[in-house]
């Protein structure tokens, strides 16, 4: 479990996983694959609504199921494996996160006692993710060895990363990942991407519905870029020109961030803010407070995507989501 990124405090192992995984997740080919999968899956759901005459649904339940399916396709490559039980995957994903949160935040003397009574159920469920992944990875490694072409999902791309040095994701001086490392990273990415995205989408829809003028602007942008044909295809390039929708996503992450806190551990002596900190000190990074600090944001409690379109409103249209994240880290270090 300590060979991934999210919950790993062994620096060299964390760095290796981070290089492999983020290079793939940030690559254009992964994004192309992702955009195709998202649309294909949405069309399948839409067809089911039509066939079953569904006109209303519980968005929070639906979006978790939708995101679980998108996650499985884009991380493990579901067309190759018939993983039909999305409910159990999302349950295992949230218990996997809960397990780590429990181990990180609850003092050892208490967690050890809880471990003795009943904790095994949570542990077993969260392990389901790791166990399922292991078989899939071994099968897929064999298939690729026997000539199967790779797809643009995280598993396939991790399996072939650094096996030859001719790809743009090649990382100098690193051996390819072994099954154990891939398993840890797939389980983590699966667990951390389902609830983050589905909660973000719930917050987004809630804030947009409460602000009809924002909904109008979204409609106008969709009409301008995609036209009135509801079957038109979304491409990487058209998506990049959706600047207002991009601002709505950024404002959702600022206003209602689904991951309001983060932790960092110091690996060396550091002097900060007149204090000396020793290695091993944990730092609590308060995203929520940073993103609502009136010194940095005008009217921080207001849901206002326009702030990401104009400099004077406390945002700049040059921000990418990654830069927003980077800004949070920089401000928190001040
Ligand atoms: C709105 C949705 C998401 C939110 C709010 C979110 C939030 C975060 C946060 C707060 C971190 C920690 C960054 C740090 O400690 O430096 C992180 C890291 C990470 N997330 Fe997400 N995440 C989201 C979606 C996803 C998805 C869909 C995936 C997988 C496809 C993913 C994969 C990762 C990975 C691999 C890292 C480690 C990256 C690194 O250290 O550079 N996340 N995410």
């Amino acid at each position: 479990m300590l060979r991934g990124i999210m919950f790993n405090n062994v620096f060299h192992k964390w760095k290796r996983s981070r290089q492999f995984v983020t290079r793939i997740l940030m690559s254009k080919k992964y994004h192309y694959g992702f955009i195709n999968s998202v649309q294909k899956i949405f069309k399948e759901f839409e067809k089911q609504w039509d066939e079953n005459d569904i006109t209303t649904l519980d968005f929070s339940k639906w979006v978790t199921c939708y995101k679980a399916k998108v996650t499985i396709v884009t991380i493990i490559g579901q067309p190759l494996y018939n993983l039909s039980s999305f409910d159990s995957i999302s349950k295992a994903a949230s218990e996997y996160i809960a397990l780590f949160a429990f181990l990180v935040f609850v003092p050892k003397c208490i967690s050890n006692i809880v471990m003795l009574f009943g904790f095994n159920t949570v542990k077993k469920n969260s392990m389901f993710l790791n166990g399922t992944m292991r078989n899939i990875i071994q099968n897929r490694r064999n298939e690729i060895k026997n000539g199967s072409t790779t797809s643009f999902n995280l598993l396939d791309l991790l399996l072939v990363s650094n096996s030859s040095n001719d790809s743009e994701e090649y990382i100098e001086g690193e051996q390819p990942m072994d099954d154990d490392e891939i398993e840890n990273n797939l389980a983590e990415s699966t667990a951390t991407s389902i609830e983050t995205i589905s909660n973000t989408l719930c917050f987004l829809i809630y804030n947009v519905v409460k602000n009809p003028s924002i909904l109008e602007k979204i409609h106008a942008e969709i009409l301008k870029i995609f036209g009135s044909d509801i079957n038109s295809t979304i491409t990487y390039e058209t998506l990049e020109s959706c600047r207002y929708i991009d601002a709505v996503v950024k404002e959702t992450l600022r206003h209602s961030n689904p991951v309001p806190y983060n932790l960092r551990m110091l690996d060396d002596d550091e002097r900060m803010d007149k204090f000396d900190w020793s290695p091993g000190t944990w730092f609590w990074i308060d995203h929520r407070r940073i993103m609502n600090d009136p010194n940095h944001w005008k009217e921080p409690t207001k849901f206002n995507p326009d702030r990401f379109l104009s400099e004077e409103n406390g945002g700049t249209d040059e921000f990418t989501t990654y830069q927003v994240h980077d800004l949070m880290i920089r401000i928190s270090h001040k």
Side-chain angles (χ1 to χ4, degrees), residues 189-321:
S189 288
T190 304
T192 52
S193 65
I194 297 178
E195 289 204 1
T196 47
I197 294 278
S198 45
N199 289 345
T200 303
L201 287 173
C202 286
F203 291 138
L204 189 152
I205 297 288
Y206 174 79
N207 285 308
V208 168
V209 169
K210 280 199 13 177
N211 294 281
S213 63
I214 296 178
L215 183 59
E216 263 173 40
K217 287 186 192 172
I218 293 176
H219 277 156
E221 182 165 86
I222 291 175
L223 210 60
K224 189 174 130 211
I225 294 171
F226 300 100
S228 53
D229 177 9
I230 56 163
N231 292 316
S232 67
T233 305
I234 298 169
T235 62
Y236 185 94
E237 289 71 26
T238 48
L239 206 53
E240 271 200 316
S241 48
C242 294
R243 299 187 58 218
Y244 188 71
I245 294 171
D246 187 51
V248 174
V249 174
K250 284 171 186 156
E251 180 63 346
T252 307
L253 291 171
R254 184 202 67 81
H255 182 271
S256 323
N257 196 304
V259 188
Y261 313 107
N262 196 9
L263 288 165
R264 280 282 188 268
M265 199 184 82
L266 210 56
D267 76 325
D268 213 346
D269 286 308
E270 188 81 51
R271 187 167 175 80
M272 224 188 304
D273 209 11
K274 294 184 289 193
F275 296 101
D276 290 319
W277 303 95
S278 48
T281 308
W282 287 74
F283 284 83
W284 176 271
I285 302 173
D286 191 342
H287 296 168
R288 189 187 297 257
R289 188 177 293 191
I290 294 163
M291 285 303 190
N292 286 283
D293 184 343
N295 293 321
H296 295 288
W297 308 95
K298 209 171 168 180
E299 296 185 87
T301 52
K302 189 173 170 197
F303 186 83
N304 174 22
D306 287 352
R307 72 174 79 242
F308 284 101
L309 296 174
S310 91
E311 188 102 42
E312 74 212 32
N313 282 338
T316 151
D317 56 357
E318 294 305 317
F319 275 153
T320 61
T321 308

Side-chain angles (χ1 to χ4, degrees), residues 103-171:
L103 293 176
V104 168
F105 294 114
V106 176
K108 254 204 159 76
C109 57
I110 302 177
S111 63
N112 283 345
I113 298 171
V114 180
M115 287 276 225
L116 288 175
F117 307 97
F119 190 68
N120 278 344
T121 322
V122 177
K123 205 169 146 197
K124 205 176 98 213
N125 279 339
S126 72
M127 292 300 159
F128 160 76
L129 264 186
N130 268 353
T132 312
M133 298 292 180
R134 175 145 300 222
N135 289 337
I136 293 172
I137 295 163
Q138 284 164 353
N139 287 342
R140 190 61 194 140
R141 197 184 276 285
N142 286 337
E143 282 174 7
I144 293 177
K145 215 189 270 171
N146 293 331
S148 165
T149 33
T150 49
S151 305
F152 295 155
N153 57 65
L154 187 59
L155 168 59
D156 278 16
L157 295 172
L158 281 177
L159 281 169
V160 297
S161 273
N162 273 36
S163 49
S164 73
N165 61 1
D166 59 359
S167 84
E168 56 192 86
E169 285 86 39
Y170 184 75
I171 300 159

Side-chain angles (χ1 to χ4, degrees), residues 171-188:
I171 300 159
E172 210 56 55
E174 293 288 345
Q175 289 298 313
M177 275 192 161
D178 61 30
D179 285 2
D180 196 39
E181 287 176 293
I182 295 181
E183 181 181 11
N184 275 246
N185 281 292
L186 291 189
E188 273 190 4

